[in-house]
Amino acid sequence: MTSVQAVMRGAWGLSSSLRQWCRSLAWLPLLLLIPVAPLLGAQPDPDEACLTAPLQEDTDAFRFKPSPGHDALQVQIPPGVKIRSIRYRRYSVFDLQDPKEDGLVYRWANDFHSETREWVLRDQLLLAEGDVYEPRRAEESERILRNLKFIYDARVRPWRWCGDFVDVEVITRDIWTFTPALSLSRSGGENAYSVGFRDANFLGTGKQVLVAYDSDEERAGYTFVYADPAVMGSRWQVRARYTDNDDGYDHGLRIEKPFFSIYEPWSVGTSLDQQKLEQKIWYRGDEVSEFDHEQEQYNLYGGVASQLEVDKRVNRWLFGYFLENNAFEFSDSDIPPAELPEDRDYSYPWIGYQSVEDEFAQLHNFNYLGRTEDIFVGERYEWALGYSTEGLGATRDQIAFRGSYRNTLLAEDRQLWVVSSWLNGYWTLDDAELENFWWQAESRYQLKQSQRWALYSGLRVDYTDGLTDDNQLTLGGHNGLRGYDLHYQVGDRSVVWNLEQRYYSDWHPFRLIRVGFAAFVDVGRAWFANQDNGSNGGVLANAGLGLRLNSSRAEKSSVVHVDVAFPFMRDDDVDGMQVLLTVKERF
């Protein structure tokens, strides 16, 4: 083979190899398409592999009706999945999708109301995007939101589960929080007027603002209140109160990082309260003496908590320093006391312990009408001890103590039985005597006879020892015996039993107020152990009927009580009928 032939054959072989290599490169464009296939729609939609609860209709979500789809999804989610996103469904005061609420006045109210902003809700949650989803944290987040003064009800629940991720939704409904005050009256030749406003959710920011000026025949003055439940989106809270009247004042400031939840590892705070008022002493429902009482309180406190235990219990060590000054002077009253109470000061460091069992039940028609209630059904106890000494500025050397206990003895679908007790006071070391000791024990039982009928029984016992002259234990009026004047009986101990047949109606006038009724019997007595308590000082009893009004759009923790009571044991100073109008925190 000649050299020329060899060169030509080599060139041909190289050409064949090159052509083969080029043919192989023809597949390269197809290979390059693989990474971009998802962008071109070649990959299936990942949501097709997700479990999604059907979207609840707005009207059902507005009324917080149960959603079987969400409940079924919740039980399927395994531990360890992470929260991919949190969406918010916020509702205003009225449901405009409901024909009964799609009116001009309701539309105007919604337009005027500032809906709670999304970041306000987010600041209160115990969940965040990227966290591991924990149902217990979702449940407690619900309770925290419902406990806000401007939220009617809340739900925190998963709505989609995709493998290692879950999507959560937060549903809330606002209540009306803006209350203007403008009144003018004239009676007995005297003018009285009030002007101002109050808003517990100022411009939807969750801040509480109150500004008012009041003037009547007794006093005139300004009041300002500001409260922030999440300072700059943190767990810190602040509340400031300033009242200045021409006959006294009431100032207060509290800054704290509380035990926001059962998962909070520590707490710290401080408070300052200063007030001057005209103190009143009562007997048989009448004022028998009046004097000025000026008081200052300073409190610095904190605590550290253990991790939540297996039995759903968290334990906390508490500590702090407390200072209180009390000074008394004669006022310009026509009924001054024969002798003023002794000025007294307390100053002491203290240490305490708290144990809380994390157990709640969701009930309806219990303390309120027609709304979800988070009722504590666990055990909780707390105690604290301090040493108040002259070396720290106190009036005398004393041991300060306080304690409380609460437990649920029975919690079923139809029955709830709760017992509680608390005490506080001082033990004076020099003369081994108690000062301002007060102990109270209470039992409350409720039997749900049906969805709307319930039988309630409450028993309360109070015992005191060494009360100073500015403190009294009284019984009568809205604190136990509704057929008698307020502060009718006095003593160093008392017992009262209240029995009520309650009816939680479905009457909802103008979609604004829910209405309930009660028939009641009260039996009780306040007395001194070794002292005559005057005429009509024995056991007293009354019966009566009551009307309960609970707004469904505002002031959710305020229940208006209108009671008509008829006393059984009467004297010359006891009317045949008592009509009471009071605002309480429960039915």
Side-chain angles (χ1 to χ4, degrees), residues 428-484:
T428 306
L429 298 179
D430 292 341
D431 50 16
E433 290 184 351
L434 289 168
E435 179 179 283
N436 282 331
F437 172 76
W438 198 306
W439 170 71
Q440 183 182 101
E442 186 176 16
S443 169
R444 292 185 288 117
Y445 173 79
Q446 181 157 319
L447 172 65
K448 294 284 288 187
Q449 299 152 312
S450 66
Q451 182 180 0
R452 305 208 172 273
W453 290 92
L455 182 67
Y456 170 85
S457 175
L459 178 66
R460 190 184 76 237
V461 177
D462 288 83
Y463 176 81
T464 66
D465 192 1
L467 292 185
T468 53
D469 292 339
D470 56 305
N471 290 309
Q472 273 189 302
L473 186 158
T474 65
L475 188 62
H478 60 73
N479 75 333
L481 290 172
R482 284 164 278 192
Y484 300 84

Side-chain angles (χ1 to χ4, degrees), residues 51-282:
L51 291 180
T52 304
L55 183 66
Q56 192 173 23
E57 294 184 3
D58 281 343
T59 297
D60 290 345
F62 181 88
R63 305 197 180 284
F64 296 93
K65 292 183 177 181
S67 173
H70 288 85
D71 294 340
L73 177 63
Q74 170 77 56
V75 299
Q76 296 184 67
I77 298 175
V81 299
K82 291 187 176 183
I83 300 173
R84 181 171 60 181
S85 66
I86 299 178
R87 73 181 185 188
Y88 296 83
R89 299 176 66 188
R90 296 168 295 143
Y91 294 96
S92 193
V93 182
F94 294 97
D95 181 14
L96 302 183
Q97 303 298 321
D98 187 341
K100 295 183 179 180
E101 295 184 13
D102 187 17
L104 180 62
V105 175
Y106 301 131
R107 287 183 175 275
W108 173 83
N110 273 6
D111 291 340
F112 189 74
H113 171 75
S114 297
E115 196 171 278
T116 301
R117 299 167 191 263
E118 186 175 302
W119 55 265
V120 175
L121 305 175
R122 184 170 58 249
D123 290 343
Q124 300 294 319
L125 296 180
L126 302 178
L127 305 171
E129 295 177 359
D131 291 349
V132 173
Y133 176 73
E134 298 180 44
R136 290 177 61 83
R137 285 182 177 266
E139 293 172 4
E140 188 166 4
S141 295
E142 279 189 9
R143 293 195 293 267
I144 291 172
L145 291 174
R146 276 195 290 265
N147 196 43
L148 295 173
K149 293 181 178 297
F150 45 87
I151 297 297
Y152 178 87
D153 206 341
R155 290 287 184 273
V156 180
R157 63 193 185 187
W159 67 274
R160 181 170 57 190
W161 167 40
C162 304
D164 295 333
F165 297 96
V166 64
D167 298 313
V168 175
E169 67 179 359
V170 178
I171 304 175
T172 58
R173 174 180 144 198
D174 286 4
I175 60 174
W176 184 267
T177 57
F178 180 78
T179 307
L182 178 61
S183 63
L184 176 65
S185 63
R186 180 176 177 84
S187 177
E190 298 289 341
N191 295 323
Y193 64 92
S194 175
V195 59
F197 74 92
R198 179 184 61 183
D199 196 337
N201 189 13
F202 186 66
L203 299 179
T205 64
K207 323 301 183 187
Q208 179 185 358
V209 176
L210 182 148
V211 179
Y213 178 80
D214 300 279
S215 177
D216 56 29
E217 67 277 7
E218 293 185 356
R219 64 181 58 87
Y222 299 89
T223 298
F224 172 79
V225 174
Y226 174 79
D228 188 343
V231 179
M232 299 180 67
S234 69
R235 298 303 191 200
W236 286 87
Q237 301 177 358
V238 64
R239 180 179 177 83
R241 180 185 72 257
Y242 182 87
T243 299
D244 193 8
N245 298 320
D246 51 16
D247 66 342
Y249 54 83
D250 185 2
H251 308 154
L253 176 64
R254 185 178 72 246
I255 303 172
E256 65 177 345
K257 180 183 179 294
F259 284 115
F260 187 80
S261 73
I262 58 171
Y263 302 100
E264 205 72 22
W266 59 275
S267 171
V268 67
T270 184
S271 65
L272 164 65
D273 293 280
Q274 299 174 324
Q275 61 178 342
K276 183 179 180 181
L277 52 84
E278 191 171 58
Q279 190 88 42
K280 298 175 173 59
I281 301 299
W282 302 84

Side-chain angles (χ1 to χ4, degrees), residues 285-353:
D286 297 323
E287 300 173 20
V288 295
S289 67
E290 297 175 336
F291 51 89
D292 284 341
H293 181 187
E294 190 170 4
Q295 183 182 77
E296 293 184 350
Q297 287 185 348
Y298 306 90
N299 198 4
L300 179 66
Y301 51 91
V304 292
S306 65
Q307 291 186 348
L308 187 66
E309 298 179 358
V310 178
D311 61 351
K312 302 179 183 179
R313 181 179 293 274
V314 61
N315 301 310
R316 299 162 177 158
W317 281 102
L318 312 174
F319 49 84
Y321 194 93
F322 181 77
L323 176 65
E324 178 180 294
N325 301 319
N326 295 272
F328 304 92
E329 294 180 350
F330 288 103
S331 66
D332 57 0
S333 172
D334 295 332
I335 46 174
E339 185 178 356
L340 285 173
E342 179 186 357
D343 293 351
R344 63 183 187 276
D345 302 324
Y346 306 107
S347 178
Y348 57 89
W350 58 270
I351 187 171
Y353 184 81

Side-chain angles (χ1 to χ4, degrees), residues 15-34:
S15 175
S16 300
S17 299
L18 184 60
R19 287 196 304 271
Q20 209 171 28
W21 181 71
C22 289
R23 283 197 299 266
S24 65
L25 290 181
W27 295 96
L28 184 60
L30 297 179
L31 294 174
L32 293 175
L33 287 177
I34 294 176

